[in-house]
Amino acid sequence: MPQPVITASQLTKTYGDFTAVDAIDFEVAPGESFGLLGPTGAGKSTTMRMVGAVSTRTSGDLSILGLDPNAHGPDIRSQLGVVPQQDNLDQELRVRDNLLVYGRYFGLPRSVVAERADALLEFAQLADRRKSKVDDLSGGMKRRLTIARALINEPRILLLDEPTTGLDPQARHILWDRLFRLKEQGTTLVLTTHYMDEAEQLCDRLVVVDKGRIMAEGSPASLIREYSSKEVLEVRFGSDKNAEIAESIRDIGERHEVLPDRILIYTGNGEAELEQITQRGLQPITSLVRRSSLEDVFLRLTGRSLIE
Amino acid sequence: MTVQTIREDSARAIAGGVAPRRWGSWYIAEHRIRAMKGYAGDAIFQSFGNPLIYLFALGVGLASLVPQGVGGVTYLQFVAPALMATAAMTVAANETSYPVLMGFKWNPIFFGMNASPITGAQIVNGMMIQIALRAVVTVAIYFGVIVLFGGVPSATGWLAIGAATLTGMAIGVVISSYTSTITEDRGQMAMLQRFGITPLFLFSGTFFPLEQLPIYLQPIGWISPLWHGTELGRVATYGLEEPIWLTVTHVGYLTTLFLVGLWATRKHFTRRLNK
Ligand SMILES: Nc1ncnc2c1ncn2[C@@H]1O[C@H](COP(=O)(O)OP(=O)(O)OP(=O)(O)O)[C@@H](O)[C@H]1O
Ligand SMILES: [Mg+2]
């Protein structure tokens, strides 16, 4: 087992008397793709800023590449690529120029930066937009440019804070494909997301965070195995009846979650449970049997949905 | 992928930090100069257009009202150093107001810079290098035009370029130390212009000697960097007679203001970037 490139223990960040990150522990191994999955306000970005060596922790220990960010901020940052939640490309510069100036921040010679910029524009599928104004790019293109910019120093660790939030499905898939390639090349990825499909696609291992705390940790598959059943039966009886009917079918399945618009029944065999329900003379308006997902894990752990 | 031990990672990080720690300010300056391409037209117009307009209006128009000149020199010679210092102030004030607000808020490039090895202090330094460069070019052009109009009798006149630039920078860092703390735009920029820049421009011994003002208004001049910078310029361009301690005071005041403003701006940047 190689030594971790990131080690956080009892990592805490408070703003006044509000605790945004509450004594969390995690490690990230080299080459691993590690995720923080959690709802709005969970403390994901705050954690990412501390790992990015720009935000000073309130307490606890943090080591990035074996160094303490309190003493080695610039050194650590020389080995990171950062894709922040909010794009901060320079809108006064053209697409390619954004990469050129950024590469210089790492002390790279102009010729090296120019070469890498062209390769990265290819990688980000932006080669034909090299002279565009940043403002003229679509959201997905800006995101890809930000990723390209984050790769200009050939980082040891790439930090991605909600890389695809706000993008349409097609743009998300293009981005996932690019990130998947980086992962294959062995880049260590740390990403936050509140999309369970994104976490399932990209993360080898993840922590579920809520209100600044880690609720669970593991691979997507193991989390689902541990905290949910194989299948989920979703039935809707209409919002006024769901709660009442839920009472009468309590004995069906392993566990229930009653949401305002539907009942989730956790079970090994969804079809069989559905049949039992109909045998009792109850006819759901709609029903659906699906595999368990990280959404169910989150619901189980917190009693709330990931995306309200 | 090659297997690296954490020790190798640490060593690589420390090596990677060396150049940015040493040269980071210059990388930022490079970035800001490149970004000037976007507003090069405006900048050039300001540099050439303003001097011509002001010199024509003041040196030719207003000067005809004061044919006897001021303190033994022509009116044009009297106002020329003030115009140079004002030009530097205008450049510095422009660059330290909205661009600073933007960099934190609407186009938060400062956070982008800080995610690389660059520190908050280096961002400030780099901006100031670029602003000083723009100011010195603007003032030098102004100076050239003034010389053509016969506004610089003394051979040491070119030293006024330095005086004017120092004035602009001293004012610029004071402005940036304030603008870097603004989180909501509630028209503070207009207030700054109305209650800061404009009074400085009018009451700093620019268009008439400070002694012309009633005594209770003269302190505005003494605390005004623009007055100190203008008087310093006058010493350079036409040998304004003043006690040597006063000349030293001009330089000392402007330098102190610059250092304090720079320190405060760096502090505010560093604090704001560390969220
Ligand atoms: N600079 C700050 N000052 C005060 N409170 C802050 C600051 N930054 C974050 N917070 C608070 O800390 C909590 C966690 O914020 P954070 O941005 O880390 O959440 P997040 O998980 O990234 O959420 P999102 O999905 O919305 O991005 C929030 O309640 C937020 O209001
Ligand atoms: Mg966030």
Side-chain angles (χ1 to χ4, degrees):
Chain A
M1 179 70 184
Q3 275 175 292
V5 285
I6 303 174
T7 309
S9 71
Q10 296 295 297
L11 183 62
T12 301
K13 178 85 183 186
T14 60
Y15 295 108
D17 52 14
F18 176 77
T19 305
V21 175
D22 195 357
I24 63 172
D25 298 291
F26 63 89
E27 287 187 345
V28 180
E32 189 180 22
S33 178
F34 177 81
L36 293 115
L37 176 72
T40 285
K44 305 183 294 296
S45 296
T46 307
T47 306
M48 289 297 252
R49 282 199 296 272
M50 287 191 281
V51 172
V54 290
S55 173
T56 309
R57 64 185 183 269
T58 308
S59 63
D61 282 318
L62 182 62
S63 161
I64 320 287
L65 300 170
L67 300 172
D68 183 337
N70 286 352
H72 290 281
D75 310 320
I76 292 168
R77 298 201 298 271
S78 79
Q79 305 300 309
L80 302 181
V82 180
V83 177
Q85 184 166 354
Q86 187 192 7
D87 280 325
N88 54 33
L89 298 159
D90 191 338
Q91 288 164 24
E92 286 181 340
L93 296 179
R94 309 256 158 186
V95 166
R96 185 166 180 271
D97 289 346
N98 259 283
L99 301 183
L100 297 185
V101 297
Y102 210 80
R104 294 284 291 151
Y105 294 170
F106 296 87
L108 299 167
R110 283 190 193 83
S111 57
V112 173
V113 177
E115 220 169 276
R116 286 190 193 173
D118 291 327
L120 286 168
L121 286 173
E122 288 292 339
F123 172 78
Q125 296 165 310
L126 289 169
D128 54 332
R129 306 303 297 263
R130 55 166 33 113
K131 292 222 166 77
S132 298
K133 288 184 178 168
V134 169
D135 250 347
D136 295 340
L137 300 183
S138 71
M141 289 174 174
K142 279 187 195 156
R143 231 42 200 142
R144 296 205 304 271
L145 180 58
T146 305
I147 292 176
R149 190 183 74 173
L151 294 171
I152 196 92
N153 59 325
E154 300 187 335
R156 185 90 170 102
I157 306 172
L158 183 61
L159 306 176
L160 301 138
D161 196 354
E162 303 205 6
T164 68
T165 298
L167 301 186
D168 61 65
Q170 196 200 350
R172 291 177 75 200
H173 280 282
I174 297 177
L175 235 143
W176 285 350
D177 168 65
R178 298 293 102 179
L179 295 178
F180 215 81
R181 269 167 215 236
L182 291 174
K183 186 165 137 51
E184 281 175 339
Q185 290 164 19
T187 309
T188 307
L189 301 182
V190 179
L191 66 108
T192 77
T193 182
H194 55 231
Y195 295 125
M196 51 168 186
D197 49 348
E198 184 157 280
E200 278 172 32
Q201 286 260 349
L202 295 174
C203 300
D204 301 325
R205 196 165 57 86
L206 55 93
V207 288
V208 178
V209 287
D210 187 36
K211 295 181 180 150
R213 291 180 159 278
I214 291 180
M215 311 296 291
E217 185 199 321
S219 68
S222 73
L223 282 170
I224 292 170
R225 222 177 303 122
E226 186 171 350
Y227 293 99
S228 193
S229 56
K230 192 160 145 267
E231 294 191 338
V232 188
L233 168 62
E234 296 195 4
V235 284
R236 295 167 199 258
F237 292 96
S239 47
D240 48 336
K241 297 210 192 78
N242 282 338
E244 180 194 333
I245 292 179
E247 275 304 308
S248 67
I249 54 172
R250 266 174 97 159
D251 54 316
I252 296 176
E254 297 161 19
R255 199 168 56 79
H256 290 188
E257 290 285 352
V258 185
L259 304 180
D261 63 330
R262 67 210 141 120
I263 306 168
L264 305 183
I265 298 165
Y266 292 90
T267 169
N269 184 346
E271 289 298 342
E273 313 292 15
L274 180 59
E275 214 173 288
Q276 279 205 48
I277 292 174
T278 46
Q279 272 168 13
R280 293 187 188 179
L282 297 166
Q283 200 52 58
I285 301 167
T286 64
S287 64
L288 165 77
V289 177
R290 58 168 176 84
R291 281 174 49 232
S292 269
S293 72
L294 287 171
E295 178 78 46
D296 300 298
V297 173
F298 189 79
L299 196 60
R300 168 79 185 273
L301 290 168
T302 67
R304 286 179 296 120
S305 302
L306 264 174
I307 303 171
E308 272 90 33
Chain B
M1 201 191 72
T2 53
V3 177
Q4 287 189 22
T5 68
I6 203 76
R7 259 174 210 289
E8 284 168 336
D9 276 328
S10 305
R12 226 167 70 135
I14 287 166
V18 172
R21 278 179 193 272
R22 189 169 303 155
W23 303 109
S25 304
W26 296 96
Y27 302 151
I28 298 296
E30 197 180 317
H31 177 160
R32 301 296 290 196
I33 289 164
R34 207 182 263 270
M36 280 178 65
K37 272 199 288 187
Y39 57 98
D42 286 350
I44 291 170
F45 178 78
Q46 256 190 26
S47 296
F48 286 95
N50 283 353
L52 287 174
I53 293 168
Y54 273 103
L55 286 175
F56 198 75
L58 298 174
V60 182
L62 194 57
S64 61
L65 290 176
V66 258
Q68 75 283 16
V70 179
V73 294
T74 67
Y75 188 67
L76 172 67
Q77 289 165 348
F78 173 76
V79 287
L83 292 177
M84 287 169 66
T86 306
M89 171 174 84
T90 307
V91 164
N94 281 343
E95 294 270 5
T96 50
S97 49
Y98 271 110
V100 170
L101 235 72
M102 287 247 295
F104 279 114
K105 210 173 154 76
W106 301 303
N107 182 16
I109 55 172
F110 298 148
F111 292 99
M113 294 168 172
N114 187 228
S116 81
I118 304 296
T119 65
Q122 289 175 325
I123 298 174
V124 175
N125 294 345
M127 279 183 64
M128 294 309 157
I129 292 170
Q130 173 252 329
I131 298 171
L133 217 74
R134 191 180 153 195
V136 95
V137 170
T138 303
V139 172
I141 291 170
Y142 225 132
F143 181 75
V145 177
I146 291 168
V147 169
L148 290 181
F149 276 70
V152 184
S154 166
T156 57
W158 59 275
L159 285 171
I161 297 173
T165 305
L166 178 60
T167 309
M169 296 314 291
I171 296 170
V173 290
V174 170
I175 295 175
S176 62
S177 71
Y178 167 60
T179 49
S180 54
T181 62
I182 296 176
T183 51
E184 294 303 327
D185 181 16
R186 295 195 206 87
Q188 294 99 324
M189 294 303 124
M191 300 283 275
L192 197 70
Q193 181 69 39
R194 202 166 307 139
F195 298 106
I197 305 293
T198 304
L200 275 192
F201 181 53
L202 293 174
F203 298 108
S204 294
T206 28
F207 299 116
F208 47 85
L210 195 61
E211 300 82 61
Q212 302 279 306
L213 283 175
I215 187 74
Y216 58 88
L217 278 181
Q218 289 187 21
I220 298 184
W222 303 334
I223 60 164
S224 162
L226 191 57
W227 179 70
H228 288 280
T230 298
E231 294 291 282
L232 197 56
R234 284 176 179 142
V235 173
T237 59
Y238 64 83
L240 167 74
E241 280 182 39
E242 62 174 24
I244 183 77
W245 64 262
L246 190 52
T247 309
V248 172
T249 305
H250 297 324
V251 177
Y253 183 76
L254 293 171
T255 309
T256 308
L257 202 61
F258 175 71
L259 292 177
V260 172
L262 186 66
W263 170 80
T265 305
R266 287 195 207 172
K267 201 174 81 169
H268 295 160
F269 265 63
T270 305
R271 189 188 303 155
R272 188 145 173 207
L273 290 168
N274 185 352
K275 280 206 292 188

